[in-house]
Amino acid sequence: MSEITVIALDAMGGDNAPGEMVKGAVDALGREQDIKVYLLGKEDIVNAELQKYTYDKNRLEVVNTTEVIETAEPPVNAIRRKKDSSIVVGMKMVKEGKADAFVSAGSSGAILVGGQVIVGRIKGVERPPLASLIPTEKGVALLIDCGANVDARASHLVQFAKMGSIYMEHVIGIKSPKVGIVNIGAEEEKGNALVKETFPLLKEEKELNFIGSVEAREIPHGQADVIVTEAFSGNVILKLYEGVGAVLISKVKEGLMSTLRSKIGALLIKPALKSTLKSFDASEYGGAPLLGLNGLVVKTHGSSKAKEVSNTLIQCVTFKKQKINEKIRESIQSEQKSAE
Amino acid sequence: MSEITVIALDAMGGDNAPGEMVKGAVDALGREQDIKVYLLGKEDIVNAELQKYTYDKNRLEVVNTTEVIETAEPPVNAIRRKKDSSIVVGMKMVKEGKADAFVSAGSSGAILVGGQVIVGRIKGVERPPLASLIPTEKGVALLIDCGANVDARASHLVQFAKMGSIYMEHVIGIKSPKVGIVNIGAEEEKGNALVKETFPLLKEEKELNFIGSVEAREIPHGQADVIVTEAFSGNVILKLYEGVGAVLISKVKEGLMSTLRSKIGALLIKPALKSTLKSFDASEYGGAPLLGLNGLVVKTHGSSKAKEVSNTLIQCVTFKKQKINEKIRESIQSEQKSAE
């Protein structure tokens, strides 16, 4: 008998909650047998959505939570005060072993704080990074840290590289993933103080396939599989990816609509264009896990729809089956033994 | 009689030197009367290129320089040792008042070091930033600093904001330009230590039209006219802009060529698409000035062609006519007086 992955899903978080969250959960149940989902939210609202679908009631249950943390709320306060919010209840289920993972499209701040405060870190992990899959010309790369720890130190970045490598190898299936550090030049002597301090440390790590500096220009070309950086530039990269993409695509559409000739052309190219641009769409790749916690916490896009939710739930199953947290624990603890 | 702007142009720098440099210089002469260009490089090579054109010999002269600084050379050494390189000779012409500006597509490192060491800073300017014009949905924005000073301090960023505002208002012609600081959230309390320290200082500056934080996602939409950041994230933004753009456009092209139907469509949309994508092409906007020096030094893209060179030379004329350096001097020195 296969092991079941139990996931607490925040039905109240994100721009499209609860509709798309519920739809994503039902979809995941159809795709994957070894999964059980708890939908956390206001019972009556969630049940009203659920009535639209037929699904296996043994594998999908609603947990009533009466409070909602808003995106604008200061996260530390929100976590402390709203004990009956979907985020706090979901995190506690992970903490207490009632769920393997918590997935939410809600307040990033509350998810980051809750992950550290409620779920807690794996022993030895200094700072849990947020890791996001981003599309590249060759497929997909992991950007780590993309928003959890600003003003990080070199030792944190080394741990990010290790955790990111484990994730890419065992969840995404890239053998011996290439690790690069975001830098403003290709040479080792380039960079700011943090990168200069981190570079030789990464070079020393025999278990990593460290390929050196990666200039931001190379990231979309897929030069590295694991892209290590501190959270400020990581978040800038993640957001700019979306921004440049959105503006360019709207420019292309504007061009297509500009003349009669181009409008006719647009009709002809539409199907082909749609399928190539789909490969550059972040929602194909699921949410961003907060790595290094005693359990799994995943943040999906605030704008995520059912497909992203469903993909994220399936990734949680792989995360558990591949024993990612055990592997992270081993990797971080062997580091600490060798330091003793 | 109008004043002449004298520009020393590095004929040996960049991937397309000397051909495109020479062509750009000849082109600028045709577009602008009040300009004189010195072409710096190996005389015989430069003259061989010049023979292809007819031009006003009073306004275009060759200065023979026997050495060339390569991109891979450590910049400080290169500047010190290669006294007869086009970069060192050009910088000295600016320093000695023989030229108003030096323009080069050569080694970024050598240009940054040479600007500070040879040309020198305006009194009171702590760190001269590299400022690059980037395309946005609404037109163009100035990204400052995009590569000169990593690990900058809050006081540097405030000066970047002032210099950038002056440039956008008087060279690009945007009245009361909106100044934003790159941040990873819209609220004042968000950000890393540097941004948190800089934010209130920018808010206090009455002469600036400070609009607060700008998330990277908003940059391509043209939310701010002057985008202030330290050089590490600034360089990441600049390079990622190019990288995401290049990959997306190649994805679109790939989509267009994927079926017979889409190939026919591609022929119809080509002219319209070309003109809209042109508005998102960095080479339309000229090079990146290193601001705050006793003179003007401009770095153009390593891959720059005649059009970018010509546009940059015309911008140098505006820079002089609009007395940008006098305005920077006034702004920085009034700050220092009020600090006394």
Side-chain angles (χ1 to χ4, degrees), chain A residues 116 121-128 149 153-156 159-160 163 332 335-336:
Chain A
Q116 300 220 31
R121 288 171 289 149
I122 290 173
K123 199 181 158 215
V125 170
E126 297 179 59
R127 300 268 193 105
N149 312 287
R153 290 202 298 268
S155 62
H156 306 154
Q159 291 195 339
F160 299 171
M163 294 191 265
I332 299 295
E335 159 198 320
Q336 302 200 305

mmCIF file of all heavy atoms in Angstrom, chain A residues 116 121-128 149 153-156 159-160 163 332 335-336:
data_model
loop_
_atom_site.group_PDB
_atom_site.id
_atom_site.type_symbol
_atom_site.label_atom_id
_atom_site.label_comp_id
_atom_site.label_asym_id
_atom_site.label_seq_id
_atom_site.Cartn_x
_atom_site.Cartn_y
_atom_site.Cartn_z
ATOM 1 N N GLN A 116 8.138 29.877 9.898
ATOM 2 C CA GLN A 116 9.249 29.870 10.854
ATOM 3 C C GLN A 116 8.753 29.704 12.288
ATOM 4 O O GLN A 116 9.339 28.957 13.062
ATOM 5 C CB GLN A 116 10.020 31.190 10.750
ATOM 6 C CG GLN A 116 10.588 31.423 9.365
ATOM 7 C CD GLN A 116 11.980 32.021 9.419
ATOM 8 O OE1 GLN A 116 12.739 31.752 10.351
ATOM 9 N NE2 GLN A 116 12.313 32.810 8.432
ATOM 10 N N ARG A 121 11.973 25.390 12.020
ATOM 11 C CA ARG A 121 13.055 24.997 11.119
ATOM 12 C C ARG A 121 13.591 23.604 11.429
ATOM 13 O O ARG A 121 13.587 23.177 12.578
ATOM 14 C CB ARG A 121 14.213 25.982 11.255
ATOM 15 C CG ARG A 121 13.927 27.338 10.658
ATOM 16 C CD ARG A 121 15.023 28.316 11.018
ATOM 17 N NE ARG A 121 14.959 28.669 12.429
ATOM 18 C CZ ARG A 121 16.012 28.977 13.161
ATOM 19 N NH1 ARG A 121 17.226 28.951 12.638
ATOM 20 N NH2 ARG A 121 15.868 29.305 14.428
ATOM 21 N N ILE A 122 14.100 22.948 10.400
ATOM 22 C CA ILE A 122 14.870 21.716 10.589
ATOM 23 C C ILE A 122 16.129 22.101 11.362
ATOM 24 O O ILE A 122 16.744 23.133 11.069
ATOM 25 C CB ILE A 122 15.259 21.108 9.225
ATOM 26 C CG1 ILE A 122 14.010 20.550 8.521
ATOM 27 C CG2 ILE A 122 16.323 20.034 9.374
ATOM 28 C CD1 ILE A 122 14.258 20.077 7.097
ATOM 29 N N LYS A 123 16.513 21.303 12.323
ATOM 30 C CA LYS A 123 17.700 21.616 13.134
ATOM 31 C C LYS A 123 18.920 21.857 12.241
ATOM 32 O O LYS A 123 19.228 21.031 11.372
ATOM 33 C CB LYS A 123 17.965 20.460 14.100
ATOM 34 C CG LYS A 123 18.843 20.865 15.270
ATOM 35 C CD LYS A 123 19.136 19.713 16.208
ATOM 36 C CE LYS A 123 20.401 20.049 16.985
ATOM 37 N NZ LYS A 123 21.222 18.893 17.266
ATOM 38 N N GLY A 124 19.573 22.967 12.426
ATOM 39 C CA GLY A 124 20.762 23.259 11.636
ATOM 40 C C GLY A 124 20.495 24.214 10.482
ATOM 41 O O GLY A 124 21.413 24.880 9.995
ATOM 42 N N VAL A 125 19.249 24.290 10.041
ATOM 43 C CA VAL A 125 18.921 25.233 8.962
ATOM 44 C C VAL A 125 18.871 26.640 9.556
ATOM 45 O O VAL A 125 18.115 26.896 10.488
ATOM 46 C CB VAL A 125 17.560 24.879 8.304
ATOM 47 C CG1 VAL A 125 17.104 25.990 7.361
ATOM 48 C CG2 VAL A 125 17.661 23.553 7.551
ATOM 49 N N GLU A 126 19.704 27.545 9.004
ATOM 50 C CA GLU A 126 19.777 28.877 9.598
ATOM 51 C C GLU A 126 18.605 29.760 9.186
ATOM 52 O O GLU A 126 18.026 30.461 9.997
ATOM 53 C CB GLU A 126 21.096 29.543 9.199
ATOM 54 C CG GLU A 126 22.319 28.798 9.737
ATOM 55 C CD GLU A 126 23.611 29.465 9.315
ATOM 56 O OE1 GLU A 126 23.818 30.636 9.644
ATOM 57 O OE2 GLU A 126 24.436 28.810 8.627
ATOM 58 N N ARG A 127 18.283 29.738 7.889
ATOM 59 C CA ARG A 127 17.178 30.559 7.390
ATOM 60 C C ARG A 127 16.439 29.791 6.295
ATOM 61 O O ARG A 127 17.047 29.431 5.288
ATOM 62 C CB ARG A 127 17.723 31.848 6.731
ATOM 63 C CG ARG A 127 18.530 32.742 7.636
ATOM 64 C CD ARG A 127 17.646 33.783 8.284
ATOM 65 N NE ARG A 127 18.464 34.817 8.899
ATOM 66 C CZ ARG A 127 18.633 36.029 8.381
ATOM 67 N NH1 ARG A 127 18.054 36.356 7.236
ATOM 68 N NH2 ARG A 127 19.392 36.916 8.988
ATOM 69 N N PRO A 128 15.158 29.550 6.459
ATOM 70 C CA PRO A 128 14.420 28.831 5.406
ATOM 71 C C PRO A 128 14.157 29.760 4.210
ATOM 72 O O PRO A 128 13.531 30.799 4.366
ATOM 73 C CB PRO A 128 13.096 28.447 6.089
ATOM 74 C CG PRO A 128 13.270 28.783 7.540
ATOM 75 C CD PRO A 128 14.325 29.837 7.619
ATOM 76 N N ASN A 149 14.456 35.986 3.031
ATOM 77 C CA ASN A 149 15.474 36.524 3.941
ATOM 78 C C ASN A 149 16.307 37.629 3.301
ATOM 79 O O ASN A 149 17.307 37.352 2.647
ATOM 80 C CB ASN A 149 16.435 35.405 4.381
ATOM 81 C CG ASN A 149 15.689 34.171 4.840
ATOM 82 O OD1 ASN A 149 15.112 34.169 5.917
ATOM 83 N ND2 ASN A 149 15.661 33.142 4.001
ATOM 84 N N ARG A 153 23.333 36.144 4.976
ATOM 85 C CA ARG A 153 24.791 35.993 5.062
ATOM 86 C C ARG A 153 25.261 34.856 4.161
ATOM 87 O O ARG A 153 24.473 34.036 3.682
ATOM 88 C CB ARG A 153 25.184 35.711 6.513
ATOM 89 C CG ARG A 153 24.992 36.925 7.410
ATOM 90 C CD ARG A 153 25.865 36.817 8.658
ATOM 91 N NE ARG A 153 25.500 35.661 9.470
ATOM 92 C CZ ARG A 153 24.627 35.699 10.474
ATOM 93 N NH1 ARG A 153 24.042 36.833 10.797
ATOM 94 N NH2 ARG A 153 24.341 34.620 11.159
ATOM 95 N N ALA A 154 26.579 34.786 3.983
ATOM 96 C CA ALA A 154 27.168 33.800 3.074
ATOM 97 C C ALA A 154 26.785 32.365 3.473
ATOM 98 O O ALA A 154 26.454 31.542 2.619
ATOM 99 C CB ALA A 154 28.683 33.957 3.045
ATOM 100 N N SER A 155 26.807 32.074 4.765
ATOM 101 C CA SER A 155 26.485 30.705 5.200
ATOM 102 C C SER A 155 25.042 30.341 4.859
ATOM 103 O O SER A 155 24.742 29.183 4.567
ATOM 104 C CB SER A 155 26.736 30.555 6.707
ATOM 105 O OG SER A 155 25.894 31.443 7.424
ATOM 106 N N HIS A 156 24.146 31.340 4.876
ATOM 107 C CA HIS A 156 22.764 31.070 4.479
ATOM 108 C C HIS A 156 22.716 30.672 3.001
ATOM 109 O O HIS A 156 22.038 29.723 2.620
ATOM 110 C CB HIS A 156 21.880 32.308 4.675
ATOM 111 C CG HIS A 156 21.917 32.886 6.056
ATOM 112 N ND1 HIS A 156 21.666 34.196 6.332
ATOM 113 C CD2 HIS A 156 22.201 32.305 7.249
ATOM 114 C CE1 HIS A 156 21.768 34.417 7.627
ATOM 115 N NE2 HIS A 156 22.104 33.279 8.213
ATOM 116 N N GLN A 159 23.649 27.142 2.325
ATOM 117 C CA GLN A 159 22.549 26.211 2.632
ATOM 118 C C GLN A 159 21.448 26.270 1.561
ATOM 119 O O GLN A 159 20.865 25.240 1.219
ATOM 120 C CB GLN A 159 21.961 26.521 4.015
ATOM 121 C CG GLN A 159 22.908 26.188 5.165
ATOM 122 C CD GLN A 159 22.194 26.159 6.516
ATOM 123 O OE1 GLN A 159 21.114 26.742 6.688
ATOM 124 N NE2 GLN A 159 22.801 25.494 7.490
ATOM 125 N N PHE A 160 21.184 27.473 1.044
ATOM 126 C CA PHE A 160 20.174 27.596 -0.026
ATOM 127 C C PHE A 160 20.583 26.726 -1.219
ATOM 128 O O PHE A 160 19.758 26.048 -1.834
ATOM 129 C CB PHE A 160 20.033 29.044 -0.527
ATOM 130 C CG PHE A 160 19.590 30.048 0.498
ATOM 131 C CD1 PHE A 160 19.613 31.418 0.209
ATOM 132 C CD2 PHE A 160 19.126 29.659 1.752
ATOM 133 C CE1 PHE A 160 19.196 32.358 1.140
ATOM 134 C CE2 PHE A 160 18.712 30.602 2.699
ATOM 135 C CZ PHE A 160 18.759 31.959 2.384
ATOM 136 N N MET A 163 19.938 22.992 -0.365
ATOM 137 C CA MET A 163 18.512 22.636 -0.340
ATOM 138 C C MET A 163 17.925 22.720 -1.756
ATOM 139 O O MET A 163 17.131 21.865 -2.161
ATOM 140 C CB MET A 163 17.755 23.558 0.621
ATOM 141 C CG MET A 163 18.170 23.350 2.071
ATOM 142 S SD MET A 163 17.060 24.215 3.240
ATOM 143 C CE MET A 163 17.954 25.731 3.469
ATOM 144 N N ILE A 332 22.443 19.031 5.770
ATOM 145 C CA ILE A 332 22.785 20.126 6.690
ATOM 146 C C ILE A 332 23.530 19.571 7.909
ATOM 147 O O ILE A 332 24.480 20.170 8.400
ATOM 148 C CB ILE A 332 21.497 20.873 7.147
ATOM 149 C CG1 ILE A 332 20.774 21.483 5.940
ATOM 150 C CG2 ILE A 332 21.805 21.920 8.204
ATOM 151 C CD1 ILE A 332 21.502 22.555 5.201
ATOM 152 N N GLU A 335 27.159 18.692 7.250
ATOM 153 C CA GLU A 335 27.926 19.943 7.238
ATOM 154 C C GLU A 335 28.326 20.312 8.667
ATOM 155 O O GLU A 335 29.465 20.693 8.935
ATOM 156 C CB GLU A 335 27.037 21.031 6.628
ATOM 157 C CG GLU A 335 27.384 22.464 6.944
ATOM 158 C CD GLU A 335 26.160 23.358 6.645
ATOM 159 O OE1 GLU A 335 25.475 23.130 5.623
ATOM 160 O OE2 GLU A 335 25.889 24.264 7.429
ATOM 161 N N GLN A 336 27.371 20.173 9.580
ATOM 162 C CA GLN A 336 27.668 20.579 10.947
ATOM 163 C C GLN A 336 28.632 19.632 11.629
ATOM 164 O O GLN A 336 29.486 20.061 12.386
ATOM 165 C CB GLN A 336 26.367 20.688 11.721
ATOM 166 C CG GLN A 336 25.470 21.693 11.009
ATOM 167 C CD GLN A 336 24.416 22.228 11.917
ATOM 168 O OE1 GLN A 336 23.665 21.478 12.508
ATOM 169 N NE2 GLN A 336 24.374 23.534 12.037
#
